[in-house]
């Protein structure tokens, strides 16, 4: 979004941990937002460039900085903010709002804290009972959203895509785990088989299942005869 003063603001919510990749991504977002304001050959940057703010609402807490809102700006070794700073980033740690409520009480939250609490917990009865201007405004926005079929459909599709991506990652991890177990079982079985029956053709041990490799390995450990092992392969 762009404010009346020309300031550019990028707002995003992450229902995940604040990983190294997320840290990297939002630094890149901010740099791109500055870079996209400038064209090659521009001489007067001050006439074209506006301040950039990135705000990340994240479902995580930074254990090293126990804050509700953590603000980042470039500073020098004397802790002075860079003159004419263009980029400011805010991390909003949503779960930390519960610690603020325990300390201050729900009725004593300021406008920003109340907005964050509502974002994190939704429009609940205890929130509505406050009759706050902030909560009323957020409920109106939510109602507007729910009445817009295109927005609701777009959000539903996005959620489905996120679920599909998550399921695909789980499937790939599971397949990788199973493949690793199969390769390990095959390798152990081949080594033990060759040590016991060096004259036998090990091609019979190719393309077996994980269960077969485990059963054959157990049979070799128990010194079962070769005929029994061949029957297990069949």
């Amino acid at each position: 979004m762009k404010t009346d003063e020309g300031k550019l603001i990028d707002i995003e919510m992450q229902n995940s941990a604040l990983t190294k990749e997320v840290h990297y991504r939002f630094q890149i977002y901010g740099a791109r937002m500055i870079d996209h304001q400038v064209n090659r050959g521009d001489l007067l940057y001050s006439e074209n460039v506006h301040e950039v703010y990135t705000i990340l609402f994240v479902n995580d807490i930074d254990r090293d900085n126990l804050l509700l809102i953590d603000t980042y700006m470039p500073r020098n070794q004397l802790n002075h903010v860079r003159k004419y700073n263009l980029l400011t980033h805010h991390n909003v740690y949503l779960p930390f709002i519960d610690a603020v409520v325990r300390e201050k009480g729900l009725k004593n939250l300021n406008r920003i804290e109340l907005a964050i609490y509502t974002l994190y917990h939704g429009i609940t009865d205890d929130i509505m009972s406050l009759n706050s201007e902030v909560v009323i405004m957020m409920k109106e926005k939510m109602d507007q959203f729910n009445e817009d079929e295109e927005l609701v459909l777009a959000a539903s599709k996005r959620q489905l895509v996120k679920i599909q991506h998550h399921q695909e990652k789980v499937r790939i991890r599971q397949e990788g785990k199973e493949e690793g177990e199969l390769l390990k079982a095959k390798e152990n079985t081949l080594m033990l088989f060759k040590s016991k029956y060096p004259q036998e053709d090990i091609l019979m041990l190719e393309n077996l299942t994980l269960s077969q490799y485990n059963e054959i390995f157990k049979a070799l450990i128990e010194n079962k005869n070769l005929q029994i092992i061949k029957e297990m392969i069949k």
Side-chain angles (χ1 to χ4, degrees):
M1 59 170 289
K2 187 174 184 178
T3 67
D4 293 337
E5 296 82 16
K7 296 178 181 179
L8 303 178
I9 303 178
D10 178 47
I11 304 173
E12 186 161 334
M13 302 188 75
Q14 287 285 326
N15 189 24
S16 63
L18 189 52
T19 62
K20 179 173 71 173
E21 287 71 23
V22 176
H23 275 290
Y24 284 168
R25 191 164 83 241
F26 276 86
Q27 291 182 74
I28 293 170
Y29 282 176
R32 283 178 177 169
M33 290 173 68
I34 293 176
D35 179 65
H36 288 174
Q37 300 179 64
V38 181
N39 297 313
R40 182 173 295 181
D42 285 346
L43 298 178
L44 297 176
Y45 287 155
S46 60
E47 294 183 1
N48 303 320
V49 179
H50 300 284
E51 293 177 69
V52 167
Y53 296 84
T54 56
I55 306 174
L56 172 62
F57 293 86
V58 63
N59 190 19
D60 196 5
I61 292 176
D62 184 353
R63 305 294 175 182
D64 297 323
N65 298 286
L66 294 175
L67 299 168
L68 178 61
I69 303 174
D70 205 1
T71 300
Y72 295 87
M73 292 178 286
R75 298 173 182 268
N76 67 5
Q77 65 269 33
L78 300 177
N79 205 35
H80 297 158
V81 178
R82 168 179 273 170
K83 292 181 180 179
Y84 311 113
N85 175 51
L86 287 174
L87 180 58
T88 301
H89 175 74
H90 304 280
N91 283 337
V92 181
Y93 299 103
L94 292 171
F96 196 77
I97 191 63
D98 289 339
V100 177
V101 170
R102 285 195 297 271
E103 181 180 344
K104 299 176 62 173
L106 190 61
K107 295 181 179 179
N108 299 316
L109 298 181
N110 61 37
R111 290 165 59 89
I112 292 178
E113 291 167 345
L114 187 55
I116 293 170
Y117 184 91
T118 307
L119 283 172
Y120 188 51
H121 289 285
I123 307 290
T124 58
D125 291 340
D126 57 344
I127 286 289
M128 289 302 300
S129 66
L130 298 175
N131 200 29
S132 163
E133 178 187 353
V134 172
V135 177
I136 293 172
M137 178 188 67
M138 295 180 73
K139 186 176 186 307
E140 289 176 352
K141 293 292 184 183
M142 186 182 72
D143 291 341
Q144 289 175 18
F145 174 87
N146 289 331
E147 291 170 3
D148 191 321
E149 292 184 3
E150 290 187 6
L151 282 178
V152 173
L153 181 60
S156 299
K157 286 183 176 179
R158 182 180 182 188
Q159 187 65 18
L160 285 173
V161 170
K162 289 175 67 176
I163 292 172
Q164 289 171 352
H165 285 173
H166 174 72
Q167 291 174 339
E168 182 67 11
K169 289 179 181 179
V170 171
R171 183 187 65 79
I172 291 172
R173 285 198 298 268
Q174 184 62 33
E175 288 181 353
K177 179 181 178 182
E178 291 174 355
E179 183 178 355
E181 291 176 350
L182 177 63
L183 290 174
K184 186 175 181 180
K186 177 182 178 181
E187 180 181 342
N188 292 339
T189 303
L190 287 175
M191 288 178 60
L192 188 55
F193 185 85
K194 285 191 290 186
S195 67
K196 287 182 174 292
Y197 304 105
Q199 306 302 322
E200 290 292 328
D201 187 357
I202 61 171
L203 287 178
M204 70 176 77
L205 295 174
E206 291 293 332
N207 301 318
L208 303 181
T209 66
L210 176 61
S211 176
Q212 284 178 301
Y213 283 125
N214 287 335
E215 290 176 2
I216 293 169
F217 185 81
K218 181 181 178 182
L220 290 168
I221 290 291
E222 294 173 353
N223 292 316
K224 297 288 179 66
N225 65 56
L226 183 59
Q227 189 58 38
I228 292 178
I229 292 173
K230 288 182 177 180
E231 289 297 325
M232 295 170 67
I233 294 173
K234 292 178 182 180

